[in-house]
Amino acid sequence: MQRIKLAADYEISRVIRGGWQMASGHGSVRSNDPIADLVAFADAGITTFDCADIYTGVEELIGRFRARYRELRGKEALDRIKVHTKFVPDLDVLPRISKSYVESVIDQSLRRLKLERLDLVQFHWWDYAADRWLETSVWLEDLRRAGKIHKVSATNFDTGRMLQIIEAGVPLTSMQVQYSLLDNRPAKRKVAAAIEHGVSLLCYGTVAGGFLGDRWLGAAEPDDGLENRSLVKYKLIIDEIGGWELFQALLRALRAVADRHGVDIATVASAAMLSRPAVAGVIVGARTRDHLDSNLAISDVPLSDEDYRQIAAVLAQARELEGDVYTLERDRHGRHGSIMKYNLNKGAA
């Protein structure tokens, strides 16, 4: 597993185990022993784990995993484990957010994860019209200086506001963004700004909730009944860039590339993003260890110039998605924003 330094004192695995799919309410497939699954990922070299305060039960699960991993492998092995959580204040809280509220949620994550200092906190803000987002980012930086957070980062901020946060004296380590073969929005402005300011991009959605996988090759277009909000979300992206026919053409191209390397479509889709400028890591969602081998292969697939040309030839026919990072999703009354849940932290702090 490839590793990369986001800072001189901060190293992660380039494939990151995502936690959203482990949250309660996210589909029916569950592991019989989720802690054993997390141990298997860590032992295999995927030592970075992504979660959030709003992923129900996931911070607590990772806290139990950390305790178990120390028992099994010792403190030195545990020190290689990095946990990236998020600070996602509820939409209803934004107009009246306070520094004490921010600290109370950070303290809650510390308790859940059984940490004395959070490794990396990714700040998300639902509505820019609630204008205390910049002040809130500075409060997180205050908590970093107080020793409760090691690295302050963010997720889904557009390029202009990312730069405002940096200019306010908050040294962002990374920015988590939706970035995939289907969603190229970060390449418009975000990538260049991230490189200039030393911000690493951590990509989610690289397999579009599972759509960029062999299961969907040759499949009829789904009309309803998708298993979870993740699939609904990414089906909307497929519709935006050109529809099911173009999507199937992309899957066929990815299958041809995958055949040359003896891997699956999802592995190629993620590996292609890992090679993009400014990208430090890709986040893979997994409910069990069933796909561990393919997840490990992501950082090892030697994609060739011809592989990239074959993929690019299909994507050249795609329509460009509107706006900067997360622009479509910020319209709470639009197709993309209306499926979100905005108050998952209610009563948490």
Side-chain angles (χ1 to χ4, degrees), residues 232-280:
V232 174
K233 166 189 175 72
Y234 292 111
K235 176 58 167 60
L236 291 174
I237 297 294
I238 291 170
D239 294 343
E240 294 278 359
I241 68 165
W244 199 251
E245 184 176 343
L246 177 65
F247 171 63
Q248 286 296 315
L250 177 60
L251 289 184
R252 290 192 293 271
L254 292 173
R255 183 64 261 166
V257 173
D259 285 342
R260 289 196 286 272
H261 296 282
V263 296
D264 60 19
I265 286 175
T267 298
V268 173
S270 291
M273 301 313 300
L274 205 55
S275 67
R276 295 284 180 97
V279 172

Side-chain angles (χ1 to χ4, degrees), residues 23 122 146 309 325:
Q122 300 162 116
R309 280 194 293 269
V325 168

